[in-house]
Amino acid sequence: MKKIQFGTSDLQVASVILGCMRMNGAENPREIIETAYENGIDFFDHADIYGGGECETIFGKALKGTSIKREDIIIQTKCGIRKGMFDFSKEHIVGSVENSLKRLDVEYVDALLLHRPDTLVEPEEVAAAFDQLEAQGKVKYFGVSNQKPMQIDLLKKTVKQPLIVNQLQFGIKHTGMIDQGIHVNMTDEPSTDRDGSLLDYSRLNQMTIQAWSPYQYGFFEGVFIGNEKFSELNSVLDRIAANHNCTATGLATAWILRHPANMQVIAGSMNKERIKEIAKASEIVLNREEWYEIYCAAGNILP
Ligand SMILES: NC(=O)c1ccc[n+]([C@@H]2O[C@H](COP(=O)([O-])OP(=O)(O)OC[C@H]3O[C@@H](n4cnc5c(N)ncnc54)[C@H](OP(=O)(O)O)[C@@H]3O)[C@@H](O)[C@H]2O)c1
């Protein structure tokens, strides 16, 4: 398993994370956790809202049925999304973490991320929540998800803990943060700056980008791998995958990890064989020709 440095921390962490958003659909969650762990994926991503809390509960119970020690894995969760609103108030953040800890049946989470921007955010509230959770030993590291540089800077002005993660949708069929950097100073569609140079900001500030829904296109519209809508992309993926003795899914993982921004891939598969393929592929290093060929086969153009 390829390891990366976790933001500005001293931790070396797995470059592949198991996303637990779909764990309420898993046939045997204990075996899924064990398969991930045995293949070097010792980092698990949650959120208070996954399955309405059920995913954390299922994980907590399943983990107890394994011989894996709590301190040997990284458990991350997220909060801030509520029905019909976003909520970064101190009361909500603290309450949400306390409920996650109960469901996960653990004393602490390694990392807490603010899930989606709350436009009513008052950074002082976030700071007070983080201070309390850190002082109580309930959270070790902090970060955000789906936030742009100026929003992060606003938080940083008041929050004293380093914000070391930004979880963002990224994969072969979702490349906005790369397109914009390639099409600088053009007037075409990909040059549109939607996220404020997120990629450059993350690299400059050593924030780890965690790529969510890496094998999906659109907003959970489906998987692009093996999908006839993307036949050109799939034929390129199959050819290059054969050269590396991996599957197209493995290759799609290696494509993200090849970027020097040192990202992590959050795979949401609840299939043991697929988890093994993905873990194994973290070691594959694509060359520049392969990387750009895949980028272009996905329908992207170079200026
Ligand atoms: N921060 C955020 O806003 C945010 C949003 C969404 C997700 N996330 C995180 O990202 C994680 C991953 O999200 P995701 O599950 O949507 O991502 P994903 O890994 O791209 O998709 C996994 C889903 O695709 C299916 N699939 C079918 N064919 C596949 C193939 N060839 N390769 C890989 N998967 C295939 C999997 O089924 P099988 O189980 O049968 O393999 C599974 O249902 C979540 O668990 C969550 O932790 C974060």
Side-chain angles (χ1 to χ4, degrees):
M1 169 59 55
K2 177 187 170 189
K3 299 265 186 179
I4 60 129
Q5 192 182 341
F6 196 40
T8 48
S9 79
D10 295 333
L11 274 189
Q12 290 287 314
V13 291
S15 56
V16 179
I17 298 174
L18 186 74
C20 299
M21 180 178 76
R22 301 175 193 267
M23 197 160 258
N24 53 348
E27 274 176 29
N28 191 332
R30 181 183 56 76
E31 286 182 14
I32 294 292
I33 295 169
E34 283 170 340
T35 303
Y37 186 74
E38 282 158 15
N39 287 277
I41 305 174
D42 54 6
F43 197 128
F44 300 89
D45 181 65
H46 287 273
D48 53 357
I49 54 163
Y50 291 163
E54 221 189 337
C55 296
E56 289 184 328
T57 305
I58 292 170
F59 179 91
K61 285 200 179 117
L63 183 66
K64 286 267 142 69
T66 71
S67 56
I68 302 167
K69 292 197 199 107
R70 165 69 188 93
E71 61 275 21
D72 289 345
I73 59 171
I74 305 260
I75 301 178
Q76 170 177 281
T77 195
K78 304 187 282 298
C79 68
I81 300 182
R82 287 174 59 192
K83 198 167 186 298
M85 69 179 82
F86 301 105
D87 190 348
F88 285 2
S89 65
K90 180 185 176 196
E91 189 188 2
H92 178 70
I93 294 171
V94 170
S96 166
V97 170
E98 282 168 355
N99 288 331
S100 286
L101 293 177
K102 278 187 212 137
R103 287 191 293 264
L104 291 161
D105 199 5
V106 292
E107 302 287 311
Y108 65 94
V109 286
D110 297 273
L112 173 71
L113 313 185
L114 299 174
H115 205 158
R116 270 200 180 272
D118 171 16
T119 191
L120 302 182
V121 61
E122 289 168 76
E124 296 74 16
E125 293 256 328
V126 175
F130 284 9
D131 283 348
Q132 181 173 324
L133 292 166
E134 186 182 50
Q136 292 174 336
K138 291 178 179 166
V139 177
K140 292 189 177 175
Y141 299 97
F142 296 86
V144 298
S145 170
N146 305 307
Q147 294 216 18
K148 58 191 210 170
M150 291 291 264
Q151 293 171 318
I152 299 167
D153 281 348
L154 178 67
L155 287 175
K156 275 188 180 171
K157 208 166 166 266
T158 315
V159 171
K160 74 168 193 283
Q161 294 78 9
L163 299 173
I164 64 171
V165 174
N166 197 358
Q167 198 172 104
L168 299 158
Q169 185 173 8
F170 184 69
I172 293 173
K173 284 300 296 172
H174 193 97
T175 51
M177 68 171 130
I178 279 183
D179 308 340
Q180 181 221 324
I182 290 178
H183 288 255
V184 171
N185 201 30
M186 310 275 295
T187 53
D188 54 3
E189 215 303 298
S191 69
T192 311
D193 179 358
R194 295 190 175 84
D195 311 313
S197 298
L198 252 178
L199 184 63
D200 305 317
Y201 178 89
S202 306
R203 294 181 78 178
L204 281 166
N205 290 281
Q206 242 181 289
M207 275 184 98
T208 297
I209 293 175
Q210 297 180 338
W212 59 261
S213 294
Y215 315 108
Q216 308 275 321
Y217 64 95
F219 193 65
F220 304 115
E221 277 172 55
V223 177
F224 59 81
I225 293 159
N227 186 329
E228 60 189 17
K229 270 194 198 168
F230 309 106
S231 54
E232 187 196 340
L233 172 61
N234 277 289
S235 66
V236 169
L237 287 177
D238 290 341
R239 172 168 48 77
I240 299 178
N243 293 342
H244 286 280
N245 193 23
C246 69
T247 60
T249 301
L251 192 70
T253 312
W255 186 85
I256 296 170
L257 298 182
R258 169 63 179 82
H259 197 283
N262 272 331
M263 301 186 199
Q264 288 176 296
V265 169
I266 319 179
S269 178
M270 291 292 127
N271 172 311
K272 287 189 278 181
E273 287 317 306
R274 219 166 252 150
I275 291 170
K276 287 184 204 167
E277 282 168 28
I278 293 169
K280 188 172 153 225
S282 78
E283 305 273 355
I284 295 169
V285 181
L286 299 183
N287 64 34
R288 198 174 285 270
E289 286 76 10
E290 292 168 327
W291 193 93
Y292 272 101
E293 186 180 359
I294 294 168
Y295 178 74
C296 293
N300 296 301
I301 42 164
L302 303 180

